[in-house]
Amino acid sequence: MTLPYMIQIRPVKDESCHYFFATVAELDGCQSNGDTFAEEYESVREAMEGHLAVKLEFGDVIPEPIGEDEYSEKFNLRIPKSLHRQLVERAAAESVSLNQYCLYKLSR
């Protein structure tokens, strides 16, 4: 429980109510929900305890947390030439590099 697992908490608003939904990236199927962010954080921690307890009970492998060193800060992406051209032109119009423009567009 002290390992730095990646907990993802998202607000959900549907036609009936507003709540928070959480998953743990490394623990497949470990999820919960709560009415407030704080309640959801406690709820997902309890879900993690139960999830890990079951894995230990049955001798299943417990995944390690994903560390920051797992990411190289870059990835290759093949795109059509026409899209490449559009991105280059838009980056030039904004007076930024293609890399900066793509980073901006991906982060939105």
Side-chain angles (χ1 to χ4, degrees):
M1 288 297 298
T2 60
L3 295 175
Y5 286 107
M6 186 186 313
I7 298 172
Q8 301 162 328
I9 301 177
R10 295 177 292 285
V12 176
K13 189 171 187 174
D14 61 24
E15 60 278 347
S16 63
C17 63
H18 176 78
Y19 61 95
F20 292 86
F21 178 75
T23 58
V24 182
E26 300 90 344
L27 304 177
D28 189 35
C30 185
Q31 59 190 32
S32 67
N33 62 348
D35 292 331
T36 65
F37 185 89
E39 181 182 303
E40 177 46 30
Y41 183 76
E42 289 302 316
S43 179
V44 75
R45 297 290 296 176
E46 289 175 18
M48 287 173 64
E49 285 181 31
H51 189 91
L52 294 171
V54 169
K55 288 213 173 272
L56 288 171
E57 180 181 341
F58 289 95
D60 294 340
V61 174
I62 296 177
E64 292 286 324
I66 299 170
E68 288 296 315
D69 56 342
E70 300 282 328
Y71 304 103
S72 68
E73 300 177 9
K74 60 183 173 179
F75 66 96
N76 294 320
L77 177 66
R78 294 195 183 281
I79 59 175
K81 288 181 182 181
S82 60
L83 178 57
H84 189 184
R85 185 186 75 245
Q86 289 175 0
L87 292 170
V88 168
E89 290 171 355
R90 290 178 185 164
E94 296 288 331
S95 299
V96 297
S97 70
L98 176 60
N99 189 62
Q100 289 173 317
Y101 185 75
C102 289
L103 178 61
Y104 166 74
K105 294 302 275 185
L106 287 170
S107 65
R108 291 178 52 189

